[in-house]
Amino acid sequence: DTLEGLKAHFEEELLENKQTKANQDFDNALLTKVVEGSEIDVPQVLIDDETQTMLEDFANRLSQQGFSLKQYTEITGQSTDDLRTQMRIDAESKVKVRLVLDAVAQEYVQITETYQMDLPKVKELASEATIAYDLRLRKAYDLIRESNQ
């Protein structure tokens, strides 16, 4: 009975891990699609800040393993600027995701306030693709309005 219980436990844990991975993959694919469909300009200062944060996090992880960033760069033959350049791509993507999510959240809030609906009802009525499209239109409208002032 103990062996069977252990086997059942491992099977349940494996199933949970697979489900968690599937959910993460779905979320990542959905976010990628929404971000690709958006036309948000990412300010360079935000990318620089995120790149610096990522570099500091990397240095902290190295430190926890008993290495310094200097030792890492000496071993790998990379400079800190090389690492920064590699991290900049991920940093831009992370910032863009945050900006898109923030814009979508603001859109949901505006819709809920305008139509006096709760958030679950808004989610039921409007897909992420619809909101991303609406954001593109709003950005275009804002650009036109700003250029005519």
Side-chain angles (χ1 to χ4, degrees):
D1 189 46
T2 305
L3 182 59
E4 288 298 318
L6 186 60
K7 184 178 175 184
H9 172 75
F10 284 135
E11 287 175 356
E12 182 179 319
E13 190 173 302
L14 182 61
L15 183 61
E16 287 176 14
N17 289 341
K18 284 183 179 182
Q19 185 63 46
T20 299
K21 171 106 172 73
N23 289 340
Q24 289 172 345
D25 290 347
F26 176 79
D27 289 347
N28 288 337
L30 181 61
L31 279 176
T32 298
K33 191 171 187 175
V34 170
V35 167
E36 286 173 355
S38 70
E39 296 179 10
I40 290 182
D41 292 324
V42 181
Q44 189 62 44
V45 67
L46 293 179
I47 297 169
D48 293 342
D49 287 349
E50 183 64 27
T51 302
Q52 185 61 34
T53 299
M54 290 173 67
L55 187 61
E56 290 168 5
D57 288 346
F58 182 65
N60 287 335
R61 286 193 309 273
L62 285 171
S63 176
Q64 291 171 354
Q65 296 175 7
F67 294 99
S68 69
L69 186 59
K70 184 177 189 229
Q71 288 172 316
Y72 178 84
T73 57
E74 289 171 355
I75 291 169
T76 62
Q78 294 178 310
S79 69
T80 304
D81 287 337
D82 293 336
L83 291 173
R84 190 174 273 112
T85 299
Q86 291 172 0
M87 292 178 179
R88 186 172 306 281
I89 296 167
D90 288 338
E92 183 174 2
S93 180
K94 285 181 177 186
V95 170
K96 195 166 186 180
V97 165
R98 279 198 305 264
L99 291 174
V100 167
L101 289 176
D102 184 55
V104 170
Q106 288 177 16
E107 187 71 18
Y108 275 137
V109 169
Q110 184 176 6
I111 290 170
T112 59
E113 290 172 356
T114 301
Y115 297 103
Q116 298 178 346
M117 289 184 210
D118 61 351
L119 189 56
K121 186 68 174 173
V122 172
K123 287 181 180 179
E124 182 181 312
L125 297 174
S127 70
E128 278 84 359
T130 301
I131 291 174
Y133 175 74
D134 185 53
L135 288 172
R136 285 195 308 274
L137 293 180
R138 285 178 185 263
K139 289 286 183 187
Y141 175 75
D142 289 346
L143 181 64
I144 292 167
R145 188 177 64 209
E146 288 173 12
S147 66
N148 287 308
Q149 289 180 348

